[in-house]
Amino acid sequence: MSEAPRPDAGPLDPGPYDALLLLSFGGPEGPDDVVPFLENVTKGRGIPKERLKEVGQHYFLFGGVSPINDQNRALLDALRKDFAGHGLDLPVYWGNRNWAPYLTDTLREMVTDGHRRILVLATSAYASYSGCRQYRENLADALAALAAEGLEPPRIDKLRHYFNHPGFVGPMIDGVVKSLAELPDDVRAGAHLAFTTHSIPDAAADTSGTVEEHGEGGAYVKQHLDVARLIADAVAERTGVADRPWQLVYQSRSGAPHIPWLEPDICDHLEERHAAGAPAVVMVPIGFVSDHMEVLYDLDTEATAKAAELGLPVARSATVGADPQFAAAVRELVLERAGTERGEDVRPCAIGSLGASHDLCPVGCCPARAPRPAAAGADSPYA
């Protein structure tokens, strides 16, 4: 993709879109929010409040505050600054699935402000039910709620999966190089890389992505492996250490023990690497946009404690967060999709072996166990 025009080349054209919505998971911002937040997350599953209090201990360890909302505020600020600095006149709003600011409230505000064509940036870079279609279902629910209030639902499109955009991969490469430099000199060259992402049920992984991509691991595993290879190759080039061992591993399993989920778990992996003689490990959370609770607890707390117990030196590299490279990538994705909608010949920007993901989720992509309406896809009830 050619470089975006500089501000002195004139304003950039986001048309037909008139606003961008940053759509995220949400998180509690105080101890009193934890159980109500978890009730939102687990709505319909019949989980007792006492069990939710047990699950919420991760949040209580951090004062009942998830870092995800502050991370989103930082990303919101980075996007607005990047857009303004490059002459892209596109207002950016923020809504969450599970906590304030709630998605329906934000969409209502956007409609009241006069916005009719809205692009959505979800804080999930990969294909899966929980990382894509569930966000689309939430959008459909919000649009239905607005229609029930007598408001005309806006047209909504979702930006494509950006896992292999150089502006997403680049900050993670920088983070690994920095983390390696922080390890002791005598273990740095031999340090292994553990690329981590959220574990999901095998069945959800196998049906992730388009129907053509379904199979063992589906698009979810394929996309993560492609990003891991990109980072490992770039780190080898920048550090001069070839053939550094690496593996894709998983964290944050939360399902019933009898249901198969993606493995190995990061703590089991650390034990295995230590037993095999690895001198050190860098944990690289490629599956997460920001340092939210699952990164802080599962990696910085639980996995780091396991490594200390083993006597295994570890470091944890940074997520993308509000890195300027990522903000620039979002601008490029917006302009790419806008040009496509205008019928222009657009070359999507993607690196690695898989190419750019689809703009419009096709029928059968990342299916739900029980079919529900989903916006911003080929099967959307909202044109």
Side-chain angles (χ1 to χ4, degrees):
M1 175 178 280
S2 59
E3 184 180 352
R6 293 183 174 85
D8 57 7
L12 302 178
D13 184 8
Y17 299 106
D18 53 30
L20 176 69
L21 168 63
L22 173 63
L23 176 57
S24 192
F25 192 82
E29 301 204 74
D32 294 340
D33 297 343
V34 172
V35 172
F37 162 73
L38 292 173
E39 288 175 332
N40 288 342
V41 174
T42 61
K43 186 177 181 180
R45 301 183 199 173
I47 299 177
K49 183 170 289 189
E50 290 307 311
R51 173 58 181 152
L52 293 179
K53 289 180 181 178
E54 293 176 19
V55 174
Q57 290 306 312
H58 295 179
Y59 291 96
F60 292 127
L61 287 174
F62 294 86
V65 179
S66 168
I68 193 169
N69 281 349
D70 278 344
Q71 292 277 342
N72 283 324
R73 291 183 183 100
L75 178 56
L76 199 66
D77 184 59
L79 292 174
R80 287 169 175 165
K81 288 179 178 177
D82 179 272
F83 288 7
H86 289 82
L88 178 58
D89 184 13
L90 189 71
V92 187
Y93 293 74
W94 167 38
N96 289 324
R97 288 169 47 182
N98 299 299
W99 201 249
Y102 288 103
L103 169 59
T104 301
D105 295 336
T106 300
L107 277 180
R108 184 185 301 110
E109 178 187 0
M110 297 176 81
V111 170
T112 302
D113 288 346
H115 298 299
R116 304 301 311 155
R117 289 293 303 270
I118 296 170
L119 264 177
V120 174
L121 167 68
T123 54
S124 176
Y126 302 85
S128 70
Y129 170 74
S130 57
C132 183
R133 185 174 178 91
Q134 192 170 16
Y135 280 98
R136 294 175 49 225
E137 292 175 351
N138 296 143
L139 284 166
D141 291 343
L143 292 172
L146 296 187
E149 295 172 9
L151 296 172
E152 182 181 354
R155 164 74 182 273
I156 288 182
D157 291 322
K158 179 177 173 291
L159 289 173
R160 65 176 172 87
H161 302 302
Y162 47 84
F163 64 93
N164 57 0
H165 193 289
F168 181 70
V169 177
M172 293 189 288
I173 296 169
D174 295 340
V176 175
V177 172
K178 181 179 179 182
S179 293
L180 285 168
E182 293 170 354
L183 288 172
D185 293 346
D186 59 336
V187 301
R188 185 179 306 133
H192 292 210
L193 305 180
F195 294 99
T196 76
T197 191
H198 206 301
S199 183
I200 61 175
D202 286 3
D206 294 345
T207 56
S208 58
T210 63
V211 172
E212 293 75 20
E213 295 172 295
H214 293 178
E216 186 175 358
Y220 187 74
V221 172
K222 292 183 182 73
Q223 291 171 359
H224 281 86
L225 285 172
D226 207 44
V227 171
R229 289 189 190 97
L230 284 167
I231 296 173
D233 289 348
V235 169
E237 183 177 351
R238 286 177 55 173
T239 62
V241 178
D243 302 319
R244 186 188 299 276
W246 65 267
Q247 186 172 339
L248 177 63
V249 301
Y250 302 92
Q251 60 175 92
S252 312
R253 176 185 171 133
S254 59
H258 69 280
I259 298 175
W261 282 51
L262 294 174
E263 296 178 333
D265 176 79
I266 177 62
C267 289
D268 295 337
H269 178 70
L270 293 177
E271 288 186 338
E272 190 273 331
R273 288 296 84 205
H274 177 258
V281 173
V282 174
M283 300 180 290
V284 191
I286 61 172
F288 307 93
V289 171
S290 66
D291 287 8
H292 54 56
M293 184 56 68
E294 286 165 323
V295 175
L296 294 188
Y297 182 80
D298 295 331
L299 296 184
D300 294 356
T301 305
E302 194 172 52
T304 299
K306 171 58 70 175
E309 173 190 318
L310 296 168
L312 177 67
V314 294
R316 197 269 290 176
S317 67
T319 52
V320 171
D323 190 286
Q325 294 178 72
F326 183 47
V330 174
R331 168 171 37 88
E332 291 180 6
L333 289 165
V334 166
L335 295 174
E336 172 193 303
R337 184 62 182 272
T340 299
E341 290 295 307
R342 294 194 299 265
E344 298 171 4
D345 183 17
V346 175
R347 290 182 299 152
C349 185
I351 54 178
S353 64
L354 299 180
S357 185
H358 48 263
D359 280 331
L360 192 69
C361 291
V363 176
C365 191
C366 303
R369 285 176 293 178
R372 290 179 53 200
D379 54 355
S380 171
Y382 300 95

